[in-house]
Amino acid sequence: MKTLPIRTSAFLCGQIIRMFLRKIPQALKACTNAVCGVPIAVILFFSHLKCRHFIILGLAVIGAMVLTIIAIEHYYDNCQIHSFKRHMCSLYDRNIITGPLCPKLCKTGEIQIKTCETDKDKSKMVYFTDRYALRLGKWSGEFQVERYASPSRFETPKQGTSMEEFRSLLGDFLLAQFGKMDQSKIYRKIIQLADVNNDGKLSLSEAKTIWSLLQNNEFFLLIILSDSAHVPKVNGFCGDMYAIEKIPNTYLYLRSKSGLMSVLRSDLWGLPDWKKRAKIAVGLLEFALEVYQHGPDGSFYMCDTQPENIGYTKQFDVRIQDLSLLLSNATLHKLLRGHFCSKDEECIYTEQCKTTCNLGIHRCTGDLIRPSLSVVCEILNDYILSDTPSGIQGEVQRLLERCTALNVYSKNMHMEHSLILNDLKSLLWKQISS
């Protein structure tokens, strides 16, 4: 059986479609322009298309539908929004967890999750509403809703645990965090936070919830540093999911490691003008001072401070995005002090938190080689120095160099720390306010 040539087939196809479409406008002549004008215009448009145009149009529509379906499946596969909400609300309905956000998530629908974000190894998930970032509790391995929202995450304290036993458990936790210091203030703050219904006592679900939250170092530090203007505010929790303010600008700048982009300093393109960056720099210096001399809770050390972890608001106020590796003095001592060593390089927790090796006893000490302020100044050197006003550029550079060089071997390190920080802040503020 012979087949028609492609051109002949296309011609016949076009003629058939045209004959069909030409009949339709005639049948619609009785319609008024107001009612049928748009349909007629559409039909007349299609009557001038050739057969191949219909084929191309059909393929385009099918392709768009396939891409849309893939995008929707990819979005829900990554976010698992409905599954997450279902599992969390199941725990709440069974009175395993509680929190001021639980009714808003599960009953009233005030919390509507829109999007999500995961880190590179998919071990950390953050959900977003219009106003908040919903961060999840401590997790290891690839994130899966079913495993994350398992009741086994909330096994402590056990049924039948007395309030006195829970107080003792909490006291031991604070002792491990800060050593033998007066922790009555933070203890009262935690108990008050845990008492969701404000009845002056803790139910089992309230105790399970606060204990699970405290296992997340970031949440714990957000509570410890809640008086600071430079960390995000906690806006409630449900189980070990907690809401913090959404930060509009999520990093200071992105560092280009090599190649043409590094030469062109594209990492600074599109950033705020110098005075606004100077205001952000002052906030970062203030935060470094806050954690250095936090008071009754002792010092904290910034062990993973990167420009990608530091955000700021629309008013150019600093917000530290990631506190997970802000460690207390007692915690750092516990992690490093007393470890066997033969050189300083064997006494490293992170690149920013290194201690020294006592070669006399071959044990790591608890004294950091570099204070956190030194790391902050290293970041600010890239962030503000290149376009600092010429009148103060030399002085700013000199202070940043002294600051970056601070280490445990510096003479009068604590005094030098204080002088550099105050001089740098004063110099920047004078320019900001002028």
Side-chain angles (χ1 to χ4, degrees):
M1 181 179 176
K2 293 183 179 181
T3 58
L4 292 173
I6 293 176
R7 286 188 178 182
T8 304
S9 300
F11 174 78
L12 291 175
C13 176
Q15 290 300 315
I16 293 170
I17 292 172
R18 287 194 193 94
M19 288 175 59
F20 174 73
L21 291 174
R22 283 169 186 162
K23 297 294 182 182
I24 295 176
Q26 296 173 8
L28 295 174
K29 282 182 179 179
C31 291
T32 63
N33 289 336
V35 176
C36 297
V38 173
I40 290 173
V42 172
I43 291 169
L44 289 175
F45 169 76
F46 279 110
S47 69
H48 289 85
L49 295 180
K50 296 182 179 179
C51 186
R52 63 175 177 271
H53 295 153
F54 279 96
I55 295 172
I56 294 171
L57 182 62
L59 291 174
V61 171
I62 293 171
M65 291 174 63
V66 170
L67 290 175
T68 302
I69 292 170
I70 291 173
I72 291 172
E73 288 182 348
H74 178 72
Y75 171 79
Y76 280 104
D77 181 58
N78 279 341
C79 289
Q80 306 174 71
I81 291 175
H82 298 303
S83 179
F84 172 76
K85 182 178 177 180
R86 183 173 63 254
H87 281 81
M88 291 296 288
C89 292
S90 173
L91 295 176
Y92 174 61
D93 292 339
R94 287 183 284 163
N95 207 31
I96 295 172
I97 62 171
T98 188
L101 294 186
C102 290
K104 295 179 181 180
L105 179 70
C106 303
K107 304 297 183 185
T108 66
E110 292 176 57
I111 294 181
Q112 292 290 328
I113 300 174
K114 305 291 186 180
T115 58
C116 74
E117 184 179 284
T118 60
D119 57 3
K120 290 181 180 179
D121 59 4
K122 297 184 179 181
S123 62
K124 186 183 293 184
M125 177 74 78
V126 181
Y127 289 109
F128 296 96
T129 70
D130 290 333
R131 295 177 58 197
Y132 303 126
L134 304 176
R135 298 198 175 178
L136 307 187
K138 190 176 180 181
W139 183 253
S140 60
E142 186 170 335
F143 178 81
Q144 296 178 5
V145 166
E146 292 79 5
R147 290 176 60 196
Y148 172 81
S150 169
S152 62
R153 288 179 61 79
F154 304 94
E155 290 183 340
T156 304
K158 302 288 187 183
Q159 180 78 36
T161 302
S162 68
M163 189 58 195
E164 286 305 312
E165 289 172 324
F166 183 69
R167 288 180 187 274
S168 177
L169 185 67
L170 186 56
D172 291 341
F173 171 79
L174 294 176
L175 179 65
Q177 294 293 321
F178 300 115
K180 295 181 179 179
M181 303 176 72
D182 181 13
Q183 300 303 327
S184 55
K185 182 179 178 181
I186 183 61
Y187 178 87
R188 288 193 298 270
K189 185 183 286 190
I190 291 172
I191 293 296
Q192 184 178 6
L193 187 70
D195 186 11
V196 176
N197 59 9
N198 297 312
D199 63 355
K201 53 188 178 182
L202 294 187
S203 66
L204 184 60
S205 61
E206 288 173 336
K208 285 177 180 290
T209 294
I210 196 63
W211 181 254
S212 184
L213 282 166
L214 292 175
Q215 306 316 299
N216 185 334
N217 190 54
E218 181 174 61
F219 177 85
F220 178 61
L221 289 169
L222 287 172
I223 300 306
I224 296 290
L225 302 172
S226 58
D227 294 332
S228 171
H230 308 303
V231 299
K233 302 302 179 188
V234 175
N235 292 281
F237 54 88
C238 177
D240 57 1
M241 176 196 77
Y242 54 97
I244 62 171
E245 60 178 314
K246 189 186 287 187
I247 311 301
N249 303 286
T250 56
Y251 56 84
L252 287 187
Y253 58 93
L254 297 177
R255 288 191 272 206
S256 299
K257 302 298 183 184
S258 60
L260 179 62
M261 302 303 279
S262 177
V263 174
L264 294 177
R265 291 305 306 277
S266 63
D267 50 340
L268 294 180
W269 289 359
L271 294 184
D273 63 44
W274 187 86
K275 282 194 174 183
K276 290 169 182 174
R277 277 183 282 132
K279 182 183 179 183
I280 293 167
V282 169
L284 193 52
L285 290 169
E286 289 175 345
F287 181 73
L289 180 61
E290 285 176 8
V291 298
Y292 183 70
Q293 52 182 39
H294 192 257
D297 302 323
S299 297
F300 290 88
Y301 299 104
M302 301 161 73
C303 291
D304 186 29
T305 306
Q306 308 292 340
E308 296 86 354
N309 295 340
I310 304 166
Y312 56 94
T313 68
K314 292 179 180 178
Q315 291 73 40
F316 305 100
D317 297 316
V318 160
R319 293 292 186 272
I320 307 301
Q321 292 263 82
D322 188 352
L323 296 174
S324 57
L325 282 178
L326 183 68
L327 303 181
S328 68
N329 187 46
T331 300
L332 199 59
H333 273 229
K334 184 170 59 177
L335 290 168
L336 292 175
R337 195 168 190 172
H339 286 212
F340 177 83
C341 62
S342 57
K343 52 186 177 180
D344 287 349
E345 288 74 13
E346 295 173 349
C347 300
I348 298 176
Y349 181 66
T350 68
E351 282 301 311
Q352 296 176 359
C353 282
K354 304 176 183 179
T355 189
T356 55
C357 179
N358 185 333
L359 296 177
I361 59 174
H362 291 285
R363 291 289 184 271
C364 296
T365 69
D367 302 319
L368 281 189
I369 294 176
R370 296 177 67 194
S372 296
L373 179 62
S374 174
V375 177
V376 167
C377 288
E378 196 172 69
I379 292 172
L380 294 184
N381 187 73
D382 289 338
Y383 192 54
I384 64 171
L385 187 59
S386 62
D387 58 344
T388 296
S390 57
I392 64 165
Q393 189 171 46
E395 182 65 9
V396 171
Q397 183 173 4
R398 185 180 66 83
L399 286 169
L400 287 175
E401 286 175 353
R402 283 173 58 196
C403 181
T404 304
L406 278 173
N407 60 59
V408 72
Y409 307 111
S410 302
K411 186 178 180 180
N412 299 321
M413 199 268 286
H414 295 292
M415 183 180 294
E416 182 77 350
H417 185 286
S418 179
L419 287 173
I420 291 172
L421 196 148
N422 288 333
D423 289 349
L424 193 51
K425 273 182 58 181
S426 299
L427 189 60
L428 293 176
W429 263 125
K430 190 178 294 184
Q431 289 295 313
I432 294 168
S433 56
S434 64

